[in-house]
Amino acid sequence: MLCHKPVSILIRCALVSMSVAVLALASCSSVKLFLNRGEKQVKREPRPVEPSGPYVLIFAFDGAGYDQLMAAINSGKAPAMAGMLGKDEGGGLYEHAYSAPNAVSILPSTTVAAWSAIFTGAPPSQNGVPGNEWFVREEMKFYAPVPVSVEEMDDNRAMITDNLVGRKLKVPTLFQQAGVRSAVSMNMVYRGADYFTIIDSTDMVKLFTEFVAGKDIHSSGKRDIYQQMDEDSVPKLLDSMKAQGVPNIQVVYFPGIDLYTHLAPDPLPMEIAYLENVTDPLVAKILDAYRDYGILDQTYVVVIADHGHTPVLKDPRHALGADTSAGPAAVIEAAGFRPRKFVLDPGKDEQDYQAAFAYQGAIAYVYLADRSTCPNPGMTCAWKRPPRYKEDVLPVARAFYYSNKNGRPVPAMKDTLDLVFARVPTPPGINTNEYEIFDGHRLVPIWLYLLAHRRPDLIQLNRRMRWLSAGPYGNRAGDVLLLSRSGLNQPIQDRYYFSAPYHSWHGSASPQDSHIPLIVARKDYPGAKLKRLVDGIAGDEPSQLALVPIVRSLLVSEPPAAPTVAPVNSRSVQSATPAAKSQ
Ligand SMILES: [Zn+2]
């Protein structure tokens, strides 16, 4: 049954557990498939192994904000990363690296949206993946690859084993654009790569399930399970490399950093310690493998993160999504809307909702129906139509604005929000208008609002909100957008977030959430040249959207240095262990 569509088989065969996967393999015998040690061949015909470089090795650190990563590197306790950069020459320039000092994430500064933007080079309004979860009004369907407002793990499982995020992306990935042999370890964006390696996927879903559903049991003592996850992923990718040859692009993604930081009672110092004690030794292991293959000096090493982290109070007062009948859902009800149940798939008799939510930490999307199509309970709204501005959007914007300002109609929302965004809706198929700021009376363009209200704590707000909201898929970020009060410049008791309670969250436009590392390094190579290359592509305001053009440019850069040992090809890699080759 699984073999009806050959293209999907390769991934479908890599199903949740090994036993299922073996069964699937038996029914798909015509397809070449590798299931050994957690390696999945994603492409039907892998691209050939190039006889030489350049190679690009991308370290993708989930949740490692700029300041935390640099603190780890500068502490002397992360020798692999510090050694890779070489002497610090100031301004982000290192002897053998360039670390952009001012790179930012897209908005929301949240995992799935950010990695989708990083690995496509396109912002959410163009690539169609705007968050950890989102609602597609034309399909009346909710997607939650990393659930925040719902608890069902079906989409999380599909993200890991069935390419859910890749299937939802509307633009080509880095691996498709670059057209060279590529491998991805662990990251949810792997469409178009030749190989995808993961730890046992049952274990991985279990870890996410615990993270989403079992938050209360976590304490600092739980570091070992996330550490284990990151550590176990490395032998999988190294085994794959040994068996299949070194790919021109290798993504090494560590999700444990982020999961751990959300749950750590003292998030930022504990994240730095994790980067030093867990991440750095894993980086060392992978660099050692490249060194043993004799290709380290032909390899550009790139380091990037999706977002940082802001400590918050772990209680239901500050977790605005903790009680699904209070907070934002209560505001919607007070405005006269029937809210969608907080589940992945509402039942047949629960389809009469007029408003839906998707939570991204410091940001919430509110999707609204044209209520004239479904005035009475039991009626399904015509979600393919946009909401009406005056009759649907404005009442909701107003209800949030005043609940926040004076606690009416919902007292629990008082002083929880920073800004309420809205816009005049457009029909599907037409590029959406960009979000504007609702000032209590009318919509004000973001740039104009910022002229009157200086907000240096919301970095590049206008540009990044346009990336999120204006374009063919801009309506996936809702009809009203809420930005909670957040940021290190606010006392911790004044920071709020849309989710269940955690010790740390992100998603906002604050520097702490948005300022990310973007580093390019190469052994024995002048950092100044790397700086020129990165600056030439990323410009004065580098962002996550620069990663794809940077990597593509590195791949066609000047001829790599001569290898120190015999050229690596699939046969030589397969015929020798890294240790043997370095002899
Ligand atoms: Zn993340």
Side-chain angles (χ1 to χ4, degrees):
M1 224 164 58
L2 287 171
C3 288
H4 285 172
K5 290 181 183 169
V7 179
S8 67
I9 296 165
L10 292 161
I11 303 160
R12 281 186 172 279
C13 282
L15 275 171
V16 189
S17 71
M18 214 49 158
S19 56
V20 178
V22 170
L23 281 178
L25 178 62
S27 67
C28 302
S29 54
S30 63
V31 179
K32 195 182 174 197
L33 186 73
F34 298 95
L35 285 166
N36 291 337
R37 301 175 297 263
E39 172 199 273
K40 324 296 176 197
Q41 180 182 316
V42 185
K43 273 187 84 68
R44 194 177 176 87
E45 292 294 340
R47 301 173 182 97
V49 177
E50 295 290 331
S52 65
Y55 302 91
V56 179
L57 169 60
I58 304 170
F59 285 107
F61 293 159
D62 203 302
Y66 178 87
D67 288 341
Q68 283 60 52
L69 183 69
M70 297 321 285
I73 289 174
N74 294 330
S75 71
K77 296 176 194 162
M81 289 190 273
M84 187 173 87
L85 271 57
K87 202 170 126 257
D88 185 350
E89 293 174 359
L93 184 63
Y94 290 79
E95 195 180 359
H96 301 302
Y98 177 58
S99 165
N102 58 338
V104 299
S105 71
I106 53 115
L107 282 178
S109 48
T110 298
T111 306
V112 182
W115 291 120
S116 294
I118 288 170
F119 288 123
T120 61
S125 64
Q126 306 283 335
N127 74 36
V129 174
N132 282 5
E133 54 180 35
W134 66 94
F135 181 67
V136 178
R137 59 185 305 129
E138 297 86 351
E139 302 170 11
M140 261 187 93
K141 191 163 165 46
F142 197 76
Y143 293 93
V146 176
V148 183
S149 71
V150 302
E151 293 199 344
E152 293 94 329
M153 299 306 289
D154 309 47
D155 278 1
N156 185 254
R157 194 171 294 110
M159 169 184 96
I160 294 162
T161 63
D162 198 17
N163 191 26
L164 174 66
V165 174
R167 286 189 285 112
K168 294 302 147 193
L169 284 170
K170 302 289 186 182
V171 294
T173 62
L174 166 65
F175 320 111
Q176 293 171 300
Q177 294 180 48
V180 296
R181 196 168 168 104
S182 314
V184 174
S185 165
M186 302 287 273
N187 193 275
M188 70 286 292
V189 182
Y190 57 86
R191 185 177 95 196
D194 299 85
Y195 296 96
F196 174 51
T197 55
I198 49 170
I199 61 165
D200 183 292
S201 50
T202 313
D203 288 351
M204 197 157 160
V205 175
K206 214 170 107 193
L207 282 171
F208 272 105
T209 308
E210 254 192 66
F211 177 76
V212 170
K215 298 131 199 141
D216 290 338
I217 63 169
H218 290 286
S219 67
S220 58
K222 282 281 177 185
R223 183 172 105 180
D224 50 343
I225 62 172
Y226 298 108
Q227 177 172 346
Q228 193 77 49
M229 182 184 201
D230 287 351
E231 285 174 355
D232 287 353
S233 69
V234 171
K236 307 278 182 198
L237 80 93
L238 291 181
D239 283 354
S240 173
M241 206 174 263
K242 195 168 146 192
Q244 315 303 340
V246 182
N248 293 86
I249 299 175
Q250 172 71 56
V251 173
V252 180
Y253 172 59
F254 291 133
I257 306 164
D258 175 77
L259 297 172
Y260 170 67
T261 307
H262 275 286
L263 303 162
D266 192 5
L268 300 182
M270 290 173 83
E271 174 172 277
I272 295 168
Y274 189 102
L275 289 165
E276 293 164 352
N277 301 328
V278 180
T279 312
D280 194 66
L282 297 177
V283 168
K285 220 175 243 185
I286 291 160
L287 294 180
D288 281 348
Y290 274 70
R291 189 176 293 114
D292 289 347
Y293 283 126
I295 57 168
L296 188 59
D297 55 0
Q298 307 172 56
T299 301
Y300 294 98
V301 182
V302 178
V303 178
I304 193 164
D306 50 348
H307 53 77
H309 262 274
T310 301
V312 290
L313 289 176
K314 186 173 187 271
D315 63 40
R317 162 96 184 95
H318 295 86
L320 298 171
D323 181 350
T324 52
S325 62
V331 176
I332 280 291
E333 280 193 277
F337 284 74
R338 297 190 297 272
R340 185 180 183 280
K341 216 173 157 188
F342 287 85
V343 293
L344 193 59
D345 291 307
K348 272 193 184 141
D349 55 348
E350 296 168 333
Q351 300 288 332
D352 63 346
Y353 53 88
Q354 299 166 314
F357 291 98
Y359 289 163
Q360 322 296 340
I363 279 178
Y365 303 150
V366 189
Y367 306 83
L368 301 170
D370 174 344
R371 286 182 292 173
S372 70
T373 66
C374 49
N376 302 321
M379 296 175 80
T380 302
C381 302
W383 278 95
K384 283 192 176 142
R385 282 166 61 161
R388 299 160 302 169
Y389 177 63
K390 274 193 182 147
E391 296 85 347
D392 303 310
V393 175
L394 263 186
V396 170
R398 247 186 236 121
F400 277 109
Y401 184 88
Y402 285 102
S403 292
N404 178 57
K405 192 173 179 182
N406 54 29
R408 289 192 297 269
V410 177
M413 290 296 290
K414 189 166 184 297
D415 297 330
T416 61
L417 300 180
D418 186 344
L419 292 168
V420 175
F421 296 81
R423 55 180 157 190
V424 176
T426 44
I430 293 179
N431 282 359
T432 43
N433 295 314
E434 58 192 84
Y435 265 127
E436 298 183 298
I437 292 174
F438 183 68
D439 72 354
H441 303 284
R442 65 188 72 78
L443 295 181
V444 182
I446 296 172
W447 64 269
L448 190 58
Y449 179 92
L450 292 175
L451 282 181
H453 308 82
R454 253 183 50 77
R455 291 299 302 272
D457 57 325
L458 301 177
I459 50 178
Q460 298 181 34
L461 184 69
N462 189 39
R463 178 192 196 208
R464 296 197 292 157
M465 284 300 285
R466 195 185 317 127
W467 285 344
L468 172 61
S469 61
Y473 304 101
N475 66 355
R476 295 193 177 182
D479 301 297
V480 171
L481 183 147
L482 312 172
L483 177 66
S484 68
R485 290 179 74 187
S486 182
L488 287 185
N489 60 333
Q490 305 262 359
I492 193 166
Q493 63 272 19
D494 292 343
R495 301 176 199 156
Y496 295 86
Y497 52 100
F498 300 96
S499 91
Y502 287 93
H503 283 300
S504 188
W505 246 110
H506 47 83
S508 81
S510 76
Q512 178 59 27
D513 285 356
S514 308
H515 187 192
I516 52 140
L518 173 58
I519 302 172
V520 181
R522 181 171 156 186
K523 186 175 181 290
D524 300 335
Y525 195 83
K529 275 191 169 181
L530 297 171
K531 174 172 161 49
R532 271 201 299 279
L533 185 139
V534 172
D535 285 350
I537 293 168
D540 295 339
E541 296 187 319
S543 81
Q544 289 172 332
L545 302 183
L547 180 97
V548 166
I550 287 172
V551 171
R552 293 192 63 184
S553 173
L554 294 174
L555 286 167
V556 295
S557 61
E558 63 185 77
T564 51
V565 294
V568 174
N569 56 38
S570 60
R571 205 181 317 141
S572 63
V573 172
Q574 280 175 42
S575 64
T577 62
K581 271 192 67 61
S582 68
Q583 300 306 305

